[in-house]
Amino acid sequence: MLLVQLAHLAGGPYACDVHLVEPRRAPGPGLAYSARRPEYLLNVRTPFLSAFPDQPNHFTQWLHTIDAPPCEEQFCSRQLYGRYLHALVAAVLAAPAANGLRFFWHHDSAVRCTVAADGQSATVQLAGGAALPSQQVVLALGNFPPLPPTGPDHAYLTHPTYHGNPWAKGALRNIAPADSVLLIGSGLTAVDVLLGLDADGHTGPVTVVSRNGRWPAEHGPAGLSYPSFYAEELAGLTTVGAVLAAVRRRIRQTTGQGIDWRPVLDSLRPDLGRIWAAWPRAEQARFLRHLASIWSVQRHRSPPQNQAAVLGLLAAGIVRMQLGRVRQIVPRGEDLAVQVQKHGQPQWLTTRHVITCTGPLLDYSRITDPLVVSLRDAGQLVPDALQLGIQTDAHGALLDAQGRASAVLFTLGPSRRPAYFESTAVPELRQQAVALAQWLGQTLSGH
């Protein structure tokens, strides 16, 4: 997104080169949109997925240019959206932009970033040996795989039927149709895994272990909207309880009038960052402890066809929900024994496969990626206290160990959750990309 926004940056000419470091074979789709599985659907409708905030129909128009089949109920496949992003990036890489910027793709991984002593430049070291001297470095790292769900005994991590990252290349392909499967988590990742297993013809029993027993809510009908009530009822509220009470009160009023609750919540989307920022850290921590999981399943919803598929698997007895928390995983021959604890009572389940569906690792103090480690060890990258991402200023510049904003290092996307909490979906990411491109553009003329 940032690459594309830089290419469309007004002004110039900019006598500057932009280097994209991306180890995947196709730049653009990233992790979320690379899987070649048409059953994995976007959980946002097509009209809201343009890469350009000022061109809301851009993605829809692109679909017409490739003569794509109509997306069922306007929920396209992630694979198709990956093609869209790849097409945008390929166009940028093909020739210099009208503003003079030149773009280069390095099919490699960044393993180290060293900031110069004066703090005005940095050198990025690539795994293949090349070095990229840079005036600005943007960490657009996306999401990292989840941590092992249990410990301290990690013998199960090397077991052939443990799947710690369902998004890894070839994941789940060694699951036979009749094999028993246990999923840890019941969010959107678990839904995708169930759809993938079903598409592969899997008929064996699937147990879903969930702490709260909730599936993602289903999207409502298209075209519904509701006016924002942030300024009227939420502005200035500094506690989770006050915000929750106000939102519940408004939903009770609207449902009594026959208005669906979903657009009422969605009306607050532009203001979620301001609501989050108004809470002191103690209140933010309270929200994470008590409400974050409930918010996640209400806010990040599932397409109706996905919901129907999951309900069908539950009704057929193929999938069952098990309330509790996974405490241990122990190899037992070809199988895995899983200890599930609910209200202090442990129960052992035996299954052939275990798949971790708990979502990405957000805590940058525990990420072992060598690029992250190099910046963290140097005090240039500071994880936030709530373990949500990286400490930054208002423009996405990294704050160092002394709280000083970097002139060189920037980030966007999930790493900025400490500032916004909601920082993972396309509407938020594209706006961050526009803002960061404009901020960087103010310094490009000098280089």
Side-chain angles (χ1 to χ4, degrees), residues 200-280:
D200 290 342
H202 183 263
T203 58
V206 180
T207 301
V208 179
V209 179
S210 171
R211 287 179 290 175
N212 53 40
R214 300 184 181 94
W215 297 101
E218 178 184 345
H219 274 287
L224 300 179
S225 63
Y226 187 82
S228 173
F229 57 100
Y230 169 79
E232 179 183 347
E233 296 189 35
L234 301 178
L237 298 183
T238 58
T239 68
V240 174
V243 171
L244 181 62
V247 172
R248 282 178 166 169
R249 183 169 57 249
R250 178 58 65 109
I251 289 178
R252 282 196 300 269
Q253 294 171 356
T254 54
T255 52
Q257 301 166 3
I259 299 173
D260 188 84
W261 61 269
R262 296 168 183 84
V264 178
L265 273 189
D266 294 343
S267 71
L268 299 176
R269 184 165 187 167
D271 303 300
L272 292 176
R274 289 195 286 180
I275 294 172
W276 171 258
W279 291 338

Side-chain angles (χ1 to χ4, degrees), residues 176-421:
D179 283 353
S180 57
V181 177
L182 184 144
L183 309 187
I184 305 175
S186 60
L188 290 171
T189 298
V191 172
D192 282 342
V193 169
L194 290 176
L195 295 173
L197 291 173
D198 188 50
D200 290 342
H202 183 263
T203 58
V206 180
T207 301
V208 179
V209 179
S210 171
R211 287 179 290 175
N212 53 40
R214 300 184 181 94
W215 297 101
E218 178 184 345
H219 274 287
L224 300 179
S225 63
Y226 187 82
S228 173
F229 57 100
Y230 169 79
E232 179 183 347
E233 296 189 35
L234 301 178
L237 298 183
T238 58
T239 68
V240 174
V243 171
L244 181 62
V247 172
R248 282 178 166 169
R249 183 169 57 249
R250 178 58 65 109
I251 289 178
R252 282 196 300 269
Q253 294 171 356
T254 54
T255 52
Q257 301 166 3
I259 299 173
D260 188 84
W261 61 269
R262 296 168 183 84
V264 178
L265 273 189
D266 294 343
S267 71
L268 299 176
R269 184 165 187 167
D271 303 300
L272 292 176
R274 289 195 286 180
I275 294 172
W276 171 258
W279 291 338
R281 182 177 295 174
E283 287 296 307
Q284 293 177 345
R286 180 174 288 111
F287 173 83
L288 294 175
R289 285 195 307 271
H290 301 295
L291 288 176
S293 62
I294 299 174
W295 169 256
S296 180
V297 298
Q298 302 297 334
R299 164 70 182 82
H300 300 284
R301 301 173 201 133
S302 192
Q305 54 267 51
N306 285 9
Q307 188 85 333
V310 171
L311 292 177
L313 293 170
L314 288 165
I318 295 174
V319 176
R320 72 179 185 96
M321 179 73 77
Q322 173 81 36
L323 288 177
R325 185 190 297 264
V326 172
R327 292 299 190 186
Q328 293 186 64
I329 303 175
V330 180
R332 287 185 180 171
E334 294 183 341
D335 294 332
L336 291 165
V338 181
Q339 186 190 64
V340 179
Q341 189 169 18
K342 178 187 176 184
H343 303 314
Q345 299 297 318
Q347 176 184 0
W348 284 95
L349 306 175
T350 300
T351 183
R352 178 56 53 92
H353 296 267
V354 172
I355 306 171
T356 297
C357 303
T358 53
L361 172 60
L362 306 172
D363 183 0
Y364 270 74
S365 68
R366 305 178 74 178
I367 289 171
T368 58
D369 177 84
L371 175 65
V372 172
V373 171
S374 72
L375 290 168
R376 190 174 64 215
D377 289 350
Q380 302 286 348
L381 181 156
V382 181
D384 75 299
L386 296 178
Q387 303 174 345
L388 291 176
I390 301 174
Q391 292 191 28
T392 64
D393 73 358
H395 302 290
L398 270 62
L399 302 181
D400 66 13
Q402 286 74 44
R404 299 171 300 200
S406 175
V408 177
L409 301 173
F410 297 84
T411 190
L412 75 167
S415 55
R416 295 208 66 194
R417 289 194 74 188
Y420 301 113
F421 185 70

